[in-house]
Amino acid sequence: GRRASLIACSVVTFVGAMLSVCAWSAEALIAARIITGIGMGGEYPLASTHSAESAADAGNGARNVALLYLFGSGFGPALCGLVTYVLDVSGVPSHIIWRLIFAVGALLSLLGMVLRYFTTKDAKDLTKAKNPKGTRRNFVRRYWRPLLGTSLIWLLFDVVEYGLKQNDAAIFAVSSGGPYSNSVLMVLCQRLLSIPSLAFAPWLLTKVQSKRVQMIGFVGCMAANLTLAIGYSQLKGITLAFNAVYLVQLSFQSLPGVTTMAISAEIF
């Protein structure tokens, strides 16, 4: 059932976070992050499916999933940047800061696990449903092309999204040239300023077809990243211009991010 699977993913995520806090070497930290990634990898599709199941129709399901993405990719990264910045400027030794960051993540994972245990319920219409023999095989035979295409597109989008988000502190460090706390503050500001675009995306889904919203996001993100790539040497010396273009591409990322989950919820 959904409930057992969601709780299991929360447990795996919490275990990975605690191992990250207690990591005794770089190799141990990498292994712990892999475990955390496995838990989070299950969270995304399960949480999306559960949100879609809880809706009255396809449109509401898409908006539920879009709101889920808003909190996960909007307020979550902003909170991460805030915690990192506060710890960095508070004078905590650098060899302790990273453990405290993971400790906050472990605490939130524990909170999520407790909430899942007491608030999540299985979808009543689906817990006892049984598929006829051969259903999955026939499904894959009929839909393997859109499944493969969607998976590859999602993979490429994740390369862009996570590739930039995992390295944006370093990108801003190069462009600003100040202390590391300034780079973290810049990342925090970018995350906060991108939240309106994440909130705008679910509303846009009520006015425009999901596929068109996704295409607008892809085209805008491509144009902004191409501008950064071609004009990087010129833009990095103009902090305001560089930050503005970076924020534009981050905002356009919100549209494919939201619709990638919303479209699957509509299909479901």
Side-chain angles (χ1 to χ4, degrees), residues 144-160:
W144 71 270
R145 288 183 180 179
L147 285 172
L148 179 62
T150 302
S151 300
L152 290 176
I153 290 172
W154 205 336
L155 171 64
L156 294 174
F157 173 69
D158 278 354
V159 170
V160 176

Side-chain angles (χ1 to χ4, degrees), residues 8-257:
C9 287
S10 297
V11 171
V12 173
T13 303
F14 174 69
V15 170
M18 285 304 301
L19 289 174
S20 298
V21 175
C22 304
W24 54 90
S25 66
E27 291 77 13
L29 180 59
I30 292 173
R33 298 303 292 159
I34 291 174
I35 294 173
T36 305
I38 292 173
M40 290 304 300
E43 284 278 353
Y44 274 106
L46 284 169
S48 300
T49 302
H50 190 72
S51 297
E53 289 174 353
S54 303
D57 54 47
N60 287 330
R63 286 188 289 276
N64 281 359
V65 175
L67 290 172
L68 174 70
Y69 188 87
L70 164 64
F71 283 94
S73 294
F75 294 105
L79 177 61
C80 180
L82 177 62
V83 170
T84 303
Y85 180 74
V86 170
L87 290 174
D88 192 42
V89 299
S90 64
V92 177
S94 58
H95 67 282
I96 299 295
I97 288 180
W98 66 271
R99 293 188 186 274
L100 292 178
I101 293 173
F102 284 124
V104 173
L107 179 62
L108 293 175
S109 297
L110 178 61
L111 176 62
M113 183 170 60
V114 173
L115 290 175
R116 283 271 167 77
Y117 182 81
F118 287 106
T119 64
T120 305
K121 297 181 180 179
D122 281 319
K124 295 181 180 179
D125 295 337
L126 298 177
T127 50
K128 297 181 179 180
K130 294 183 178 180
N131 295 324
K133 186 177 181 180
T135 299
R136 293 181 180 177
R137 183 170 58 253
N138 293 333
F139 178 83
V140 173
R141 185 183 298 117
R142 183 173 181 179
Y143 294 107
W144 71 270
R145 288 183 180 179
L147 285 172
L148 179 62
T150 302
S151 300
L152 290 176
I153 290 172
W154 205 336
L155 171 64
L156 294 174
F157 173 69
D158 278 354
V159 170
V160 176
E161 182 182 26
Y162 290 101
L164 287 173
K165 287 183 178 179
Q166 294 294 329
N167 296 285
D168 49 9
I171 293 172
F172 288 118
V174 173
S175 63
S176 63
Y180 186 71
S181 59
N182 287 354
S183 301
V184 176
L185 179 61
M186 189 61 64
V187 172
L188 172 60
C189 292
Q190 291 278 338
R191 294 289 179 267
L192 291 174
L193 290 172
S194 66
I195 288 177
S197 66
L198 285 163
F200 173 73
W203 175 85
L204 189 60
L205 287 174
T206 66
K207 306 297 181 182
V208 185
Q209 291 181 352
S210 300
K211 185 175 182 179
R212 293 184 179 179
V213 175
Q214 189 171 73
M215 292 308 299
I216 292 171
F218 277 127
V219 172
C221 189
M222 180 179 65
N225 278 306
L226 189 61
T227 301
L228 287 171
I230 295 176
Y232 179 77
S233 299
Q234 293 76 24
L235 288 172
K236 71 176 182 179
I238 310 173
T239 303
L240 183 60
F242 181 87
N243 292 346
V245 178
Y246 194 89
L247 178 61
V248 168
Q249 69 83 24
L250 195 61
S251 298
F252 273 113
Q253 275 189 36
S254 305
L255 300 183

